[in-house]
Amino acid sequence: AQSVTQLGSHVSVSEGALVLLRCNYSSSVPPYLFWYVQYPNQGLQLLLKYTSAATLVKGINGFEAEFKKSETSFHLTKPSAHMSDAAEYFCAVGGYSSASKIIFGSGTRLSIRP
Amino acid sequence: DGGITQSPKYLFRKEGQNVTLSCEQNLNHDAMYWYRQDPGQGLRLIYYSQIVNDFQKGDIAEGYSVSREKKESFPLTVTSAQKNPTAFYLCASMGTGGTGELFFGEGSRLTVL
């Protein structure tokens, strides 16, 4: 069985500060891992994905995530937060083709302080 | 531009009424999905379809029904049997041979009065 846990339902950082959103997963097979972003009243948009290639994955809008097998983690980071980064972020773990096996975390709402 | 279109974006209904949410895609994707989103609970899978005329229940299918008569369309009906239908509903699709990436519509917010 696969599962994903996002630590912290709400994270607040100052503009220009480091963003760190935490995600830990559980999977009995090599996982595919994803981070999605959701702006208010909109659908989800893929930020980045890990599919067993490079462990450091770069995504859109300056975000990146590092796959650490020993820690079963896939934390999302951005060196310098912008006001436009305020949104909800979801970590997801999935299989190889079927979304029925893609499990979403409960989400982390990121707020940016001016 | 290719994408997924959901309609309506906002919908208000009285208790006991069935409502149908539309989802259309022009991405030529085989697989389509419906998720329900509630605050603090992430996304939960309602139904999914991997080919035309075939669909499977997800984790929370009770009180919902779907059809897949065309590749492009995957409507969701929220029936009166759904005990707590007020939620944000998201439709998504995935191409074959991909790496599990889902493409989402902009969602439909259903409020039952």
Side-chain angles (χ1 to χ4, degrees):
Chain A
Q2 295 180 313
S3 66
V4 62
T5 302
Q6 290 184 242
L7 300 175
S9 60
H10 183 212
V11 170
S12 180
V13 303
S14 297
E15 191 173 18
L18 171 71
V19 175
L20 171 61
L21 304 183
R22 299 177 187 275
C23 173
N24 289 89
Y25 71 91
S26 172
S27 178
S28 56
V29 298
Y32 284 179
L33 292 159
F34 307 85
W35 276 100
Y36 286 86
V37 61
Q38 184 182 34
Y39 298 100
N41 294 312
Q42 292 188 22
L44 279 69
Q45 177 185 5
L46 183 71
L47 271 179
L48 50 80
K49 61 184 177 185
Y50 167 78
T51 56
S52 74
T55 56
L56 182 62
V57 182
K58 295 188 183 296
I60 62 173
N61 301 337
F63 284 94
E64 63 182 34
E66 186 172 8
F67 172 70
K68 292 187 176 180
K69 185 177 179 180
S70 61
E71 299 177 9
T72 61
S73 69
F74 191 57
H75 301 330
L76 182 70
T77 60
K78 182 173 180 177
S80 176
H82 296 157
M83 296 299 293
S84 60
D85 294 327
E88 186 138 23
Y89 293 80
F90 291 93
C91 182
V93 60
Y96 300 97
S97 63
S98 169
S100 67
K101 296 181 176 63
I102 292 181
I103 307 300
F104 285 86
S106 56
T108 298
R109 182 164 63 90
L110 176 64
S111 299
I112 311 297
R113 301 187 301 271
Chain B
D1 285 340
I4 298 180
T5 301
Q6 290 187 238
S7 63
K9 190 164 179 66
Y10 298 96
L11 186 60
F12 296 87
R13 280 294 181 269
K14 294 182 179 179
E15 266 190 48
Q17 289 183 329
N18 291 358
V19 298
T20 297
L21 308 180
S22 170
C23 178
E24 302 278 333
Q25 56 102 355
N26 60 4
L27 299 167
N28 199 32
H29 286 171
D30 288 315
M32 296 186 73
Y33 310 85
W34 275 105
Y35 287 89
R36 170 179 171 141
Q37 184 178 16
D38 297 283
Q41 294 194 42
L43 277 68
R44 292 182 290 169
L45 183 65
I46 304 173
Y47 268 98
Y48 67 104
S49 168
Q50 294 184 310
I51 56 171
V52 174
N53 293 323
D54 187 46
F55 48 83
Q56 288 79 39
K57 293 181 179 179
D59 299 320
I60 56 164
E62 184 175 352
Y64 300 98
S65 66
V66 294
S67 63
R68 187 84 187 276
E69 297 177 1
K70 299 186 301 181
K71 186 176 184 177
E72 301 80 16
S73 179
F74 191 42
L76 173 74
T77 297
V78 184
T79 75
S80 57
Q82 168 51 231
K83 299 302 181 188
N84 185 20
T86 294
F88 191 55
Y89 292 88
L90 287 159
C91 181
S93 70
M94 184 194 302
T96 55
T99 52
E101 176 184 351
L102 292 169
F103 293 80
F104 284 87
E106 294 210 338
S108 293
R109 185 168 297 280
L110 171 64
T111 302
V112 175
L113 306 172

